[in-house]
Amino acid sequence: MRKDKNKYSISIEDVSYAARLSRIELESDKMGKFREQLNDILVYIDQLNEVDTEGVAPTSHVLTSMRNVFREDEPGTSLPNEKALANAPAKSGNFFKVPKIIKES
Amino acid sequence: MKDIFKSIEAYRLWEKEEPRSPEDKASFIADRIDVSDRDLNAFITLDREAFSRKAKAAFSPERRKSPLGGVPVAVKSNICVEGELTTCASRMLEGFRPPYNATVIEKLDHEGAFVISGANMDEFAFGSSCETSAYGPSRNPWDEDRIPGGSSGGSAVAVSSGQVVCALGSDTGGSIRQPASLCGVVGFKPTYGRVSRYGLIAFASSLDQIGPLARNVTDCATLLKAISGYDEKDSTSVNIEVPDYCASLGMDIKGMKVGMPSEYFQEGIDGDVQERLREAVKALEELGAEILEVSLPHTRYAVSCYYIIGPAEASSNLGRYDGVHYGYRDEEARDMIDMYVRSRTEGFGDEAKRRIILGTYALSSGYYEAYYLKALKVRTCIAEDFRKAFEVCDAIVTPTSPTTAFRIGEKSNDPLKMYLSDIFTIPANLAGIPAVSIPCGLGDNGMPVGMQLMAAPFAEEKLIRIAHAFERNTGFHELKPGTIED
Amino acid sequence: MGSKYETVIGLEVHVQLATRTKIFCGCSTKFGADPNTQVCPVCLGLPGSLPVLNKRAFEYAIKVALALECDIQGTVKFDRKNYYYPDLPKNYQISQFDMPIAYNGRVVLTSGDGERAIGITRAHMEEDAGKLLHDQDPASSFIDLNRTGTPLLEIVSEPDMRSPSEAYEYLKILKQTIKYLDVSDCNMEEGSLRCDANISLRTKGSKALGSKVEIKNLNSFKAVRDALLYEQERQEDLLEEGGAVKQETRLWDENNAVTLSMRSKEEAQDYRYFPEPDLVPFEVGREVVERIRSELPELPSAKKSRFIECYGLDAGDAELLVSERPVACFFEAVLEECDDVRSVLNWIKGEVLKHLKEHQAGLDALKLTPSGLASIITMTASGKISGLAAKEVLKDHLVSGRLPSEIVKEKGLEQVSDTAELDAVAARVIEDNPKSAGDYRSGKKNALSFLIGQVMRETKGKANPKLAGEILSKKLSE
């Protein structure tokens, strides 16, 4: 794991990068607090490095022997348009509506 | 409050004899909840309209034939109930009414249960105290200055205080068992894949599991039986038959082997909790169980492992809350990106933000292998420890929580300290095994202490058998908060 | 292309698999429904919903992969690709990262100088996104999620193509092959086939790759070729002027025929891929692969070689026939009942394909049957109907599906081949046209054509012209 030169496991830049990727804005005071808290957690988590995991397979599913769960290509029930849009913060006709998309890229 | 809801059996007797009309019964239940909920805040909202809509069906004589017919079951606010507010206690899902039912709700409806949605919780199930709810914390009925545990705090409070007979919670790292323990009720986390997750608003998909909370093991087994089973809508639901859990009730436990992991009985546990557990283990021994020492050497890494895997999955699962299709939207946004950022920044509480950022960081380019992949490998080691242990024992006994319920606000500024309160419950989620917490007496402060039992995958019956034998012979489940009259 | 540089092109093609329902839910995939009517909790990404993989989509993907000579991965898993965009309701796309369903395949280009294999790096399954509409309202964008969750197969080629026309050829064969399998409409206009292109230039002989440009917004085969030609030239000019090509994504502007730089991104995308916890892995057994392989139809390239070999067709004709599987199958079905390869080929190339082109329809839209065409050809060869009449019969048959013999009968198109009848008409014509008869007798042989024409007129076109000529010349030489 990457370490800053000092006591920190995570830099302000790291926090701000992860926040930006998460589409969350952190005010500068919160940024500092979060960095301290996340750092505490990551320092604690560093103990994972004590475990020798050479040759150990990762477990992303505990159901390690389960395979090939399919559904047949049979139509199910769709929602009527009113129900699909019922929770939408904004809609227009049959559509969900959002502020104009300024092309991000 | 009169204790008419102390068990399914007691409730059904009352309901059968009660002359009120179905609508009046529903109002009666709603009023009871309303009165006590001013102090307890077990429910985010009580949907009285839904109460009267569902009353007729739930309280019909026809429904009484089913074991759960008419039984009030509180449902945690992260389980989708069609047309009823399902907010995950977050501002982000303010006003969200799912257009569909979770599979467990379909099953409860089928059994004729009286589903009461909207039990309070930590926001998106992130927490161990119910304090991160955007709708205020729930309070422990044993002492309202204390937390009820979390994240299924509202469910535990509603059961413990006698507002409802039983409840559904969800458990990702202890979220059923820890509040059950802290509120003095029984809480069961089934094997991963036993109960469908369809309609459970995901926190960490590979760890989440829905389970029951009740005042006794019998009711827990009844509710567990009702919600278990294969669901074609959940690819991680296991297609094997569900045994009749109630058949395990009343059996003795002579010769059953119960393992005590030395790693769980070391530092960090309050003295009174430690003492209650030793007494409980002694009681099991007196009932004929053989107690043996087992070792789970990787258990000490469980919290670290969990706080990578959980937040990583959560960061992705919670990506969908952006104000586009449902939920909270900041209307002032200038453009799309701005709308995402403002809506999420305003919609999520601090703990949610912390976990999203932590999880995003752990998955981000350059850190994936060091954190996420490493955690998945350690997870394998933890699961392997359990596999080996269950070769020599039927169940493993530990405390559910290292402490009894702490005071509101006591740990809210120290996330790490809060995270460590799940130290005993997290391993079962990482390994996907079933576990139950049952009351085993009171601590020095008069607050409940819980004992956790864990078993091999799909060995729920063994847990029910041991837990019920223990309960029958100790009677700790009869202890209740002072607010409940006999 | 100037001599100094070599062009390096790779294509990423997305193909919608034509299943009835979406990849992870039971909503219909039908194109053109009212907005947001083919949606459910799963494809809307509603909280609590979970995906379950469509078995047919999985098998279709294997089918395509096998047709592209890919190796099939033994254990396949899905991963989440996390990014925020309003057409992606979960803000992650279920895709495949490091264990795609197939890898290491190839597409063989046959036109030009001999064969050239273009490598397929990988093919992976993923879910399609929804559609955004930007031009309905000045202040807002609209979202339609009907398309969300349509199964996609992304086919990534190696950077093996060396010219825009090779890229065009690759796309053409890829589309042809997939269409043969009947697993996708491959319609670029409707978006069931989409293509992004990567192009870079390097000095000839150099092994290192130059900075690559990704081109998006390519909505037709022609657009792919035109955009690549434009970009090739743009990059060459840049390099010639001593400049450098910037690694970036550019959009093809169809109207102005130029590529435009997309506003450069703040930072590289960081998709945070991780294994999809809501789906368990998939194992593709040998038996499944072999079963699907055995169900593969004969593919265009094999068919083309066989047509050349078995029927003695030239490469151009063979290619034309195999370009669409129904046409190739039709060709062979006609030959089952009529062994005149040349005539069958000419009829299909001529009247049949012409009709399809005029009506912009596929063969399946016609009522034409193999035995119908076979009988038209046979009747023509035996002289029962004239070539002209044959065209008329076909036109009717294409649309009505009626038996050609019935059409001939009903319309009275049968040729008069009755010698006695023609004999009488010929005698009358000779009598009525003494000048022409005289001309013929005095050696002006082309006067016969005029007289045949007169016989045809007398018989209202039903006379067999060959027979009429024979009778006339016999009579005139008497």
Side-chain angles (χ1 to χ4, degrees), chain C residues 434-447:
Chain C
K435 184 166 182 298
S436 299
D439 285 351
Y440 180 82
R441 288 201 182 94
S442 63
K444 289 187 180 160
K445 295 294 177 200
N446 54 3

Side-chain angles (χ1 to χ4, degrees), chain B residues 227-300:
Chain B
I227 60 171
S228 293
Y230 172 67
D231 179 13
E232 57 181 21
K233 294 198 195 99
D234 175 1
S235 301
T236 62
S237 142
V238 178
N239 195 357
I240 52 173
E241 211 184 316
V242 180
D244 180 6
Y245 294 129
C246 295
S248 306
L249 298 166
M251 291 169 77
D252 73 50
I253 58 167
K254 282 196 185 75
M256 285 186 86
K257 294 187 173 71
V258 177
M260 267 180 81
S262 44
E263 294 85 356
Y264 284 67
F265 288 86
Q266 288 168 358
E267 83 271 38
I269 310 178
D270 283 359
D272 50 349
V273 172
Q274 187 128 202
E275 208 165 308
R276 287 301 91 74
L277 253 294
R278 299 219 177 270
E279 291 159 13
V281 169
K282 200 146 176 274
L284 290 173
E285 201 166 12
E286 281 163 10
L287 288 168
E290 187 187 322
I291 309 296
L292 54 151
E293 193 165 306
V294 292
S295 176
L296 299 168
H298 293 94
T299 246
R300 55 185 299 241

Side-chain angles (χ1 to χ4, degrees), chain A residues 1-4 8-11 13-27 30-31 33-64 66-72 79-80 82-91 96-105, chain B residues 82 95-99 192-193 206 230 234-239 298 300-305 307-309 313 323-329 331 333-337 339-342 344-345 348 350-354 356-358 360-361 364-365 367 370-381 383 412-416 419-420 423 429-432 458:
Chain A
M1 279 170 218
R2 205 187 71 175
K3 284 271 170 64
D4 276 358
Y8 285 107
S9 244
I10 185 167
S11 65
E13 289 71 34
D14 288 335
V15 178
S16 116
Y17 174 71
R20 203 157 61 241
L21 274 181
S22 313
R23 299 287 185 266
I24 287 172
E25 195 169 281
L26 293 178
E27 303 286 331
K30 196 164 269 183
M31 177 71 82
K33 191 176 102 184
F34 265 47
R35 193 265 188 110
E36 293 292 338
Q37 291 171 333
L38 293 175
N39 190 64
D40 285 352
I41 297 161
L42 287 168
V43 166
Y44 177 82
I45 285 173
D46 264 349
Q47 56 159 273
L48 285 179
N49 290 323
E50 296 167 12
V51 186
D52 178 7
T53 51
E54 186 70 37
V56 175
T59 298
S60 42
H61 289 91
V62 283
L63 304 163
T64 44
M66 237 169 115
R67 292 286 184 276
N68 297 13
V69 178
F70 290 111
R71 43 173 281 274
E72 294 301 323
L79 293 170
E82 324 74 82
K83 257 189 154 179
L85 298 181
N87 283 294
K91 53 197 158 192
F96 294 96
K97 194 168 106 174
V98 291
K100 199 84 181 168
I101 295 157
I102 294 180
K103 283 240 155 61
E104 181 184 5
S105 28
Chain B
E82 185 174 348
F96 178 65
R97 293 174 189 270
Y192 185 83
S206 78
Y230 172 67
D234 175 1
S235 301
T236 62
S237 142
V238 178
N239 195 357
H298 293 94
R300 55 185 299 241
Y301 303 107
V303 173
S304 295
C305 190
Y307 276 95
I308 292 298
I309 295 171
E313 292 184 11
V324 174
H325 307 100
Y326 46 80
Y328 175 76
R329 173 190 292 191
E331 299 291 349
R334 300 181 305 272
D335 59 48
M336 198 56 219
I337 307 287
M339 189 189 91
Y340 281 153
V341 174
R342 283 172 178 241
R344 289 170 65 80
T345 303
F348 288 129
D350 277 359
E351 183 58 23
K353 286 178 191 161
R354 230 174 344 253
I356 291 170
I357 291 171
L358 176 60
T360 301
Y361 177 68
S364 67
S365 166
Y367 297 100
Y371 286 120
Y372 188 70
L373 195 62
K374 181 77 184 181
L376 292 186
K377 288 178 178 173
V378 175
R379 184 178 189 179
T380 307
C381 301
S412 26
N413 281 320
D414 190 344
L416 180 58
Y419 295 173
L420 291 171
I423 195 156
N429 298 83
L430 290 170
F458 299 101

